Amino acid sequence: MLRHKMLYVLMLPGILFYVVFKYIPMYGVLIAFQDYSVARGVWGSQWIGLQQFVTFFYKTPDAWKLIRNTFLLNIYDLLFHFPAPILLALLLNELRNVLFKRFVQTVSYMPYFLSTVVIVGMAVNFLSLNSGIVNHLLDWLGLDRIMFLSQPEWFRTIYIGTEVWQKLGWGTILYLAAIAGIDPTLYEAARIDGANRFQQVRHITLVGMIPVIVILFILNLGNMMEIGYQKIILLYNPMIYETADVINTFVYRRGVLGADFSFATAVGLFQSAIGLVLVIAANRIARKVSDTSLW
């Protein structure tokens, strides 16, 4: 430790962050099992056991709808958002014009640096019933205008679409780094053996990306109960609660706006527990996949 003391100093800010913001607040989980009172505090509030969880599952009419919406949004995100950066990285890797390749990279990951508020504001303006460019295009094509932001069936499409557009380019960085680490002699050997471009991509490029793909897949699967609720709060309204209301937004309304801290903590604890189970399951699946030759 003395020999590498400067490395430990560099680690210190990260360690302090997790200790202060992740580990110390964990004692607050106790209020999920209490009838918490701000005046009495954590240690003085009445202990009620699993009553808050029973209330959520059996006495909250929208409980299963919240779980369903959270899972569906994450499944759609996994189906459409997760593979999109992989495909873009493969396409960028095939470009031979360096200047054009850098231009596409820059344009694709610029939206990542925009605030979520800006992204949602652009989506609202584009999809506006009277002034939105999308409805103007529908009108020009002779189709009826659509109230995108007031119809529940359009919410998931809008949410996933904005997620892909905002994070597509940024997600390619890790995959391009993985491609850069592939031995160029593998491509030369493949060309000598008569492999075409598609075969090289499938058997060399994609295989070289698999370790990164598996790691990111595990992380995404572990977050199946989490969702970017900031964007949802900015997009949703009571007319689209049927598909837009998720666990995070429900916890926000009950815990922050309604000051029902114990109930909100119980729901949040349930969400975290399911996420932990999914991470463990994904890790076991990934180990089995890594031991199997798929390519």
Side-chain angles (χ1 to χ4, degrees):
M1 291 185 67
L2 291 175
R3 185 167 63 252
H4 302 292
K5 58 181 179 296
M6 295 310 298
L7 295 178
Y8 287 101
V9 171
L10 289 174
M11 290 172 57
L12 190 59
I15 294 173
L16 288 175
F17 171 82
Y18 277 95
V19 170
V20 173
F21 294 103
K22 302 294 183 180
Y23 285 95
I24 292 178
M26 284 179 69
Y27 85 96
V29 169
L30 290 173
I31 70 176
F33 307 95
Q34 298 175 334
D35 182 11
Y36 178 71
S37 169
V38 176
R40 296 178 180 178
V42 175
W43 304 111
S45 298
Q46 181 184 359
W47 187 270
I48 59 173
L50 300 176
Q51 185 60 46
Q52 302 290 2
F53 297 92
V54 172
T55 301
F56 176 66
F57 286 110
Y58 296 103
K59 298 182 181 180
T60 303
D62 296 332
W64 297 108
K65 181 184 74 176
L66 298 170
I67 297 172
R68 181 198 65 194
N69 289 342
T70 303
F71 265 114
L72 283 177
L73 278 178
N74 278 293
I75 288 171
Y76 290 150
D77 187 75
L78 204 62
L79 289 175
F80 296 102
H81 180 209
F82 183 77
I86 300 173
L87 295 175
L88 181 59
L90 291 172
L91 293 173
L92 287 174
N93 186 59
E94 295 302 310
L95 291 176
R96 294 294 173 259
N97 189 317
V98 178
L99 291 178
F100 181 68
K101 179 179 179 179
R102 291 177 178 175
F103 172 76
V104 173
Q105 280 184 268
T106 303
V107 171
S108 64
Y109 69 62
M110 280 181 64
Y112 182 82
F113 297 98
L114 296 178
S115 167
T116 301
V117 177
V118 175
I119 296 294
V120 172
M122 294 174 67
V124 170
N125 286 327
F126 290 159
L127 301 174
S128 173
L129 180 64
N130 297 318
S131 59
I133 187 173
V134 176
N135 274 309
H136 279 311
L137 181 61
L138 292 175
D139 200 18
W140 181 72
L141 293 172
L143 302 174
D144 294 332
R145 291 175 177 258
I146 301 173
M147 298 179 64
F148 291 100
L149 300 174
S150 302
Q151 297 185 12
E153 61 269 21
W154 280 103
F155 173 77
R156 293 177 183 137
T157 302
I158 296 169
Y159 179 86
I160 299 299
T162 54
E163 282 287 291
V164 172
W165 176 63
Q166 184 179 12
K167 300 177 181 178
L168 173 63
W170 186 257
T172 62
I173 294 176
L174 286 176
Y175 297 116
L176 289 173
I179 293 173
I182 298 174
D183 189 352
T185 59
L186 295 175
Y187 293 101
E188 296 176 6
R191 284 193 293 269
I192 292 172
D193 290 338
N196 57 34
R197 294 288 288 273
F198 177 77
Q199 290 171 329
Q200 292 176 43
V201 169
R202 179 185 173 186
H203 295 287
I204 300 176
T205 309
L206 198 55
V207 172
M209 296 168 64
I210 283 180
V212 176
I213 293 173
V214 169
I215 291 172
L216 294 179
F217 178 78
I218 292 173
L219 294 175
N220 277 271
L221 199 58
N223 290 325
M224 284 295 287
M225 290 296 288
E226 295 287 340
I227 199 73
Y229 64 93
Q230 298 94 338
K231 183 177 292 184
I232 296 177
I233 290 175
L234 293 168
L235 278 173
Y236 82 163
N237 56 72
M239 288 186 289
I240 59 173
Y241 275 3
E242 180 183 345
T243 56
D245 205 15
V246 295
I247 293 177
N248 294 79
T249 54
F250 179 75
V251 169
Y252 169 75
R253 290 202 309 274
R254 289 293 297 266
V256 178
L257 302 182
D260 194 351
F261 302 116
S262 292
F263 185 76
T265 303
V267 177
L269 181 59
F270 158 75
Q271 184 179 21
S272 300
I274 296 298
L276 179 61
V277 171
L278 289 173
V279 168
I280 295 172
N283 192 32
R284 291 180 65 88
I285 293 171
R287 287 184 179 181
K288 292 182 179 180
V289 171
S290 64
D291 295 333
T292 305
S293 177
L294 298 177
W295 304 92

